[in-house]
Amino acid sequence: MSVVLPINVDDRFRLLTASGGQTVLAITFPWQDDSDIALFKMVGDSWADLANPADYVLTGAGTPGGGSATLTTPAADGDEYLVLGVAVLDRLSSIVRDGRFSSKNIDDELDRNRIIQQEQARDLKRAYLAPLGSVGGLFLASEAGQFLIRDQDGNIIGSDPPDGAGNMNTAVYDPDLVHGAALSRIPVQPEAFGALANGVANDNAAILSAANFAVARNRPLLLTDGKTYLFQQLTLPASLVITGNGVLRSNAALTVAGDVTLTLGNNTIAESVRFSTPGTETNTDFMVVGAGSRIARLDCRADAQRAGGGVRLVDPNSTFIGYFVGEKIDRPFHFQNTSTTTAATGAFVGFLDIKDYVRGFRADFTAFHVGGAYMRGRSANASKSPGHNGVLIVGCPDWYFGPHEIADAGEHAFRIGGSEVAASQTKNYRIGEAIYRRPGGCGFKVNPTMLVSAGVTEKAENGIHAGYVVIDGGDGSLAGNEEIARITHVDGLEIGYAIGRTDNETFSGQYALQMNDAKRVTIGTLGGTNINAGFINIDGTSDVDGVATFGGDVTDLKIGRVFGKCAGNNGIAVNTAFNVGDISIGLDMVSGFATNLLLWSAGTVTDKIELHGTVGGSVAPALSGVPANDNFVFDLCFGNTRGRGARGGALRMTAAHEIMATAFDPASTTEPPRNFVANNSRIAAGSAVLGGGLEATRMASTRRAAAIVPRQGSADDKEVGWAVYVGDTNSTANEALLLFALFQHTGRPSFPMLAPLTAYADNAAATAGGLAVGEFYRDTNGIVRIRF
């Protein structure tokens, strides 16, 4: 027996909430026979009929004050019970007994009549009544939720309240009244219109009829849990309310690109919409959701990988999707704005749960909020092709995409692309922390350039990405365009961290950062393990639309920390026809580059460029091709040396006693920076041991230099003076010969280079011998003289 909870009834029933272990339930109204009492227990969302005496035993029949029910199984804490009087329309005894009236029997029968009347009054309060003044019969609900109209003799003469035309008339049957409100809550089922809901028969017409019927009468459409409603193509009416958890199933018959399998009208409200498809149909999108719709859970799955699209929210103003599930759909979710002048607003998705995809999410010209996402499983149709991104944002203002993990994107994991209409622009956006696993392209890419070739200049403005980690960037086959971060056409972007690492692949990315046409970019931490080509590449040709190359200045770039190891020739490369300046880059033990820390191929310096920090590994941080410009400032540590300076290049890190270092080798093809400092630590005690000092090259020279360094005068390491060296070859043997002067710790100067002076008889002989004016020689008495 199933019981609906009575409404506003205060007699002949009791709602009881038991405590843990309770066995006795009080019944505070009288009954005459135990068959007049029914006991129910709430199980799940419905009342279950308990059996007497298997589940309970009654005590107190015939007692004016009532009695009790004793449970055979003690109640759990919070269990709910319903005690209901169910006296049958029958007499208990005869009034006349042995030829005499029995006063007790008369009293009992009167009591029973009153009990029955009370119970009928109670139940009548739960009934639906015809409006006052109506001459029609009662409205009775069928099991399908349909109302049947009966005449005075009980014959069914129609369905639903008549208004003269057989339709709902809200002026007569006001839905705000008790009975009207109750009527509006009764759901309409497709089964009442002929649907079999077995997933085999085509329920197309029945579903549509039920939906139209429900909207016309302000009632919800019920898709029964556990049932499958098969259809070919449906366009459901606007303002439809959908309840239940039944499945809407496509029969995969649509093959025309523009056909939509299921269209939910504007302002659809649903607890759950479950859609499934074999995945073999070839139309472009299988579902369109109208503006203003609010769906708590939208669940869309294909049996086999579907090559087309999934859910498209057209002009998604004030549209809410609480939780979206997409499985085996190449392009499962799309915010699409058809306006060319005004952005859609108020689009909301709580969470995207996507599996087996080509592009998981796209938004066009829409201000939206996505709470978070988890995407994984690359479709067999995915590749490193444009549009095969995990997320693609196109010309969207004022949006937020929360914390997310994107695995297996065919191309870039998260891409901000270009607008398709001139009025749209990506700006004022926020992105939560993220993990990007195995992207076929970049981890995070910004290049809004779709309209550049049409003469429209667009830049993504004022963005924040909290930070992300790229794992196995490039996904095993590095062919370029697979950076940890690729930033082009940007004005204002802050990234907390952009880090690459490897789990199963050789490299974590092609570059840590590639840039072109960008300003006001700040990155807290950048780098990672096993980066292929280099840490940073400023390349003015890095953005191409297939026809033209679009470049621009790179200015106002601040990177707090660059770390890790790269396998390329150059750690940092600059090759652009545009301006570069107002840049500060901090290095934290970067290593791995084979030739240069910085290779400057092209670029006009317009403002200060600062490179500072530490360099690890075995390759000295050479700086090649750097323009002679005062705006360059370098402060770098390598091993136990530190170099810093400005103007004609960096300050060289090398020990002073290695003045004839490889950089001065005349066979070297790399021109060393000039004006450098050597600041090495003392090596060991001993006479003639050198410390760090000041070393400088001759202007435009690749191998000539001079140095002033501390020089130990004896075995006592406290006896240190100054030595002046000059040299022009990479010969350690010549180094001692080129010791020009000593200022010893004793305070006495000496000039070792004077010792081997050639002897000339006088000034004339020195002149004839080729000595220049001002050079030293010895006369025949050994006295040092100056040729004049």
Side-chain angles (χ1 to χ4, degrees):
M1 179 176 181
S2 178
V3 174
V4 179
L5 182 64
I7 301 174
N8 296 327
V9 177
D10 55 8
D11 204 4
R12 304 299 299 171
F13 89 100
R14 291 292 182 269
L15 281 174
L16 304 172
T17 301
S19 302
Q22 183 176 343
T23 57
V24 178
L25 304 176
I27 304 175
T28 57
F29 57 85
W31 73 95
Q32 294 174 315
D33 187 86
D34 286 353
S35 64
D36 297 341
I37 294 294
L39 182 62
F40 301 85
K41 180 181 179 180
M42 179 62 74
V43 178
D45 294 325
S46 60
W47 293 107
D49 192 359
L50 301 183
N52 183 0
D55 298 319
Y56 66 96
V57 176
L58 294 171
T59 303
T63 303
S68 63
T70 301
L71 302 173
T72 56
T73 300
D77 191 41
D79 279 353
E80 293 182 300
Y81 294 87
L82 172 62
V83 181
L84 198 65
V86 290
V88 296
L89 292 173
D90 198 0
R91 293 178 61 178
L92 292 181
S93 61
S94 174
I95 295 177
V96 179
R97 185 175 183 181
D98 297 331
R100 293 181 297 176
F101 285 100
S102 172
S103 59
K104 182 179 185 304
N105 290 354
I106 293 173
D107 189 61
D108 289 343
E109 287 301 321
L110 291 174
D111 288 344
R112 186 167 188 79
N113 287 337
R114 180 51 57 88
I115 287 173
I116 292 171
Q117 290 169 354
Q118 289 176 337
E119 291 178 357
Q120 288 178 337
R122 175 199 66 199
D123 294 339
L124 191 58
K125 292 179 181 179
R126 297 186 297 136
Y128 296 105
L129 303 177
L132 292 176
S134 172
V135 296
L138 296 177
F139 300 96
L140 303 178
S142 70
E143 290 185 358
Q146 183 183 27
F147 281 86
L148 306 178
I149 303 175
R150 299 178 184 271
D151 61 18
Q152 301 295 337
D153 297 325
N155 300 313
I156 298 176
I157 61 173
S159 62
D160 270 316
D163 62 356
N167 299 315
M168 172 72 79
N169 187 331
T170 56
V172 175
Y173 209 83
D174 189 344
D176 291 331
L177 297 177
V178 173
H179 298 299
L183 174 63
S184 68
R185 290 195 298 268
I186 299 300
V188 177
Q189 294 178 274
E191 290 89 328
F193 293 81
L196 298 181
N198 58 9
V200 178
N202 192 332
D203 295 328
N204 212 106
I207 299 169
L208 184 58
S209 296
N212 289 330
F213 185 90
V215 170
R217 288 154 179 80
N218 193 29
R219 288 159 57 184
L221 176 70
L222 173 62
L223 302 177
T224 306
D225 294 4
K227 293 189 177 183
T228 300
Y229 301 83
L230 187 71
F231 70 98
Q232 177 176 335
Q233 188 175 23
L234 283 173
T235 298
L236 297 177
S239 302
L240 177 65
V241 177
I242 302 174
T243 63
N245 205 33
V247 177
L248 292 167
R249 171 80 172 176
S250 164
N251 67 358
L254 297 184
T255 59
V256 177
D259 288 343
V260 177
T261 308
L262 175 63
T263 299
L264 301 179
N266 292 346
N267 303 311
T268 295
I269 297 177
E271 300 169 359
S272 172
V273 173
R274 297 180 62 195
F275 177 87
S276 75
T277 171
T280 54
E281 70 278 10
T282 58
N283 56 328
T284 303
D285 297 303
F286 62 54
M287 186 184 300
V288 167
V289 178
S293 296
R294 305 182 71 79
I295 302 172
R297 181 183 177 96
L298 180 56
D299 193 314
C300 301
R301 305 171 193 252
D303 300 344
Q305 191 68 41
R306 173 179 155 77
V311 175
R312 180 160 44 96
L313 286 80
V314 180
D315 301 329
N317 292 287
S318 303
T319 302
F320 176 97
I321 306 294
Y323 194 97
F324 174 79
V325 175
E327 185 171 329
K328 293 186 178 179
I329 305 162
D330 278 4
R331 290 172 169 83
F333 198 96
H334 184 184
F335 279 141
Q336 182 189 38
N337 182 13
T338 61
S339 172
T340 60
T341 59
T342 306
T345 60
F348 179 95
V349 180
F351 194 84
L352 296 165
D353 184 352
I354 294 172
K355 183 178 180 182
D356 303 326
Y357 68 99
V358 169
R359 182 187 62 222
F361 173 84
R362 173 171 176 162
D364 299 302
F365 200 15
T366 298
F368 66 85
H369 180 110
V370 174
Y374 179 37
M375 303 180 190
R376 70 279 191 201
R378 180 175 297 159
S379 165
N381 302 316
S383 65
K384 295 182 182 181
S385 302
H388 290 207
N389 317 114
V391 169
L392 175 60
I393 310 297
V394 180
C396 294
D398 306 309
W399 54 272
Y400 171 79
F401 201 104
H404 54 283
E405 179 172 344
I406 299 177
D408 309 312
E411 198 188 12
H412 315 300
F414 199 112
R415 180 187 170 213
I416 297 176
S419 301
E420 293 184 327
V421 297
S424 65
Q425 181 189 7
T426 298
K427 59 183 178 181
N428 304 329
Y429 58 94
R430 305 290 183 269
I431 304 172
E433 290 186 293
I435 297 175
Y436 302 134
R437 297 181 184 273
R438 302 177 298 278
C442 301
F444 179 59
K445 180 177 180 179
V446 186
N447 69 328
T449 59
M450 286 187 179
L451 292 175
V452 175
S453 57
V456 178
T457 301
E458 181 192 0
K459 289 191 178 184
E461 294 183 356
N462 302 328
I464 295 176
H465 195 313
Y468 59 92
V469 175
V470 178
I471 301 173
D472 292 336
D475 200 21
S477 177
L478 287 173
N481 197 25
E482 294 158 342
E483 284 71 49
I484 296 172
R486 188 179 180 94
I487 299 172
T488 307
H489 314 311
V490 166
D491 184 358
L493 174 61
E494 298 179 17
I495 301 176
Y497 57 89
I499 297 171
R501 73 166 211 196
T502 57
D503 276 356
N504 299 300
E505 303 298 340
T506 303
F507 297 108
S508 57
Q510 184 77 350
Y511 288 97
L513 170 65
Q514 182 151 269
M515 296 190 71
N516 173 28
D517 188 22
K519 67 179 180 179
R520 297 195 302 121
V521 175
T522 300
I523 302 175
T525 297
L526 173 72
T529 58
N530 300 328
I531 298 169
N532 188 34
F535 299 108
I536 300 170
N537 185 30
I538 297 176
D539 184 357
T541 65
S542 65
D543 194 31
V544 180
D545 72 347
V547 179
T549 297
F550 308 106
D553 300 345
V554 174
T555 59
D556 196 358
L557 169 64
K558 307 296 185 296
I559 303 178
R561 174 179 177 245
V562 178
F563 77 99
K565 183 178 181 181
C566 73
N569 288 328
N570 308 296
I572 302 172
V574 180
N575 184 15
T576 178
F578 301 95
N579 296 327
V580 182
D582 192 10
I583 293 175
S584 175
I585 300 174
L587 305 177
D588 185 357
M589 294 301 291
V590 295
S591 65
F593 50 87
T595 307
N596 300 298
L597 172 64
L598 170 62
L599 173 63
W600 190 286
S601 298
T604 301
V605 179
T606 58
D607 205 340
K608 181 164 290 186
I609 298 175
E610 178 181 343
L611 194 64
H612 61 275
T614 57
V615 178
S618 58
V619 179
L623 307 164
S624 179
V626 177
N629 192 300
D630 281 338
N631 278 318
F632 275 102
V633 177
F634 297 87
D635 189 349
L636 300 170
C637 293
F638 173 63
N640 61 358
T641 67
R642 179 183 180 185
R644 64 194 186 108
R647 195 169 170 77
L651 304 181
R652 180 76 176 179
M653 286 66 63
T654 183
H657 65 285
E658 294 175 346
I659 183 173
M660 302 299 124
T662 305
F664 297 96
D665 186 341
S668 173
T669 59
T670 302
E671 180 180 346
R674 294 170 292 280
N675 304 330
F676 56 86
V677 165
N679 189 18
N680 69 305
S681 60
R682 175 179 57 79
I683 298 175
S687 179
V689 171
L690 306 176
L694 173 66
E695 184 175 324
T697 64
R698 195 198 71 175
M699 294 299 292
S701 172
T702 62
R703 58 194 179 92
R704 294 175 176 84
I708 300 175
V709 297
R711 187 177 191 274
Q712 195 168 335
S714 69
D716 187 344
D717 60 8
K718 297 179 181 178
E719 297 176 355
V720 177
W722 284 105
V724 179
Y725 280 82
V726 295
D728 62 358
T729 68
N730 188 33
S731 170
T732 304
N734 286 342
E735 190 171 273
L737 297 176
L738 298 174
L739 177 58
F740 175 75
L742 284 172
F743 299 92
Q744 303 183 53
H745 64 282
T746 60
R748 295 191 299 270
S750 66
F751 299 92
M753 289 200 61
L754 299 180
L757 292 179
T758 304
Y760 294 98
D762 52 24
N763 189 72
T767 302
L771 228 61
V773 174
E775 290 188 319
F776 292 92
Y777 68 94
R778 293 180 183 274
D779 64 13
T780 54
N781 297 317
I783 299 173
V784 176
R785 297 184 181 276
I786 300 176
R787 189 260 173 179
F788 57 91

